[in-house]
Amino acid sequence: QVQPVESGGGLVQPGGSLRLSCAGSGIIFSGNAMGWYRLASGKQRELVASITSSGSTNYADSVKGRFTISRNNAKNTVDLQMNSLKPEDTAVYYCNRVNFRVSWGQGTQVTVSS
């Protein structure tokens, strides 16, 4: 089954940092814009950061200036560096294509709490 595999989540205090990683097959990544999404309790899944195959990035207003997305096309990975974390960033984080999404992976839980 073609699914991304996310890792790197955890419990962090407000103001802290985490780095999430996503890995998968070339079928998922090659030539495709990739994104990090999050699903918070009681809310819909939202796209928080995206990166094209050539490296152009885009961010949701809620994370702009705090999160940085990057990718390694040779290794078929995409990372999300999250700084200055806030309690409202608490969610399960997923990666997937921006368009023509594949099956969702398990995601990785990020909890921001003191």
Side-chain angles (χ1 to χ4, degrees):
Q1 191 172 4
V2 177
Q3 276 184 327
V5 178
E6 302 92 351
S7 62
L11 173 63
V12 63
Q13 293 186 340
S17 297
L18 281 174
R19 188 175 183 89
L20 307 183
S21 294
C22 173
S25 71
I27 294 174
I28 300 173
F29 287 81
S30 182
N32 290 297
M34 296 296 299
W36 277 97
Y37 301 76
R38 66 185 180 189
L39 180 60
S41 179
K43 297 186 177 181
Q44 290 188 330
R45 193 175 344 235
E46 63 170 333
L47 176 64
V48 297
S50 63
I51 184 167
T52 66
S53 57
S54 60
S56 296
T57 59
N58 197 32
Y59 298 93
D61 287 344
S62 58
V63 307
K64 200 169 292 184
R66 301 188 297 121
F67 290 10
T68 302
I69 189 171
S70 60
R71 67 188 291 166
N72 184 320
N73 291 332
K75 295 183 178 180
N76 295 323
T77 59
V78 59
D79 291 350
L80 187 68
Q81 177 66 43
M82 305 187 296
N83 298 328
S84 303
L85 282 161
K86 304 175 181 180
E88 51 264 43
D89 294 319
T90 295
V92 180
Y93 285 71
Y94 302 85
C95 74
N96 210 318
R97 294 174 181 169
V98 174
N99 302 302
F100 306 107
R101 287 187 290 272
V102 298
S103 298
W104 294 99
Q106 296 288 332
T108 186
Q109 175 72 47
V110 172
T111 303
V112 185
S113 175
S114 55

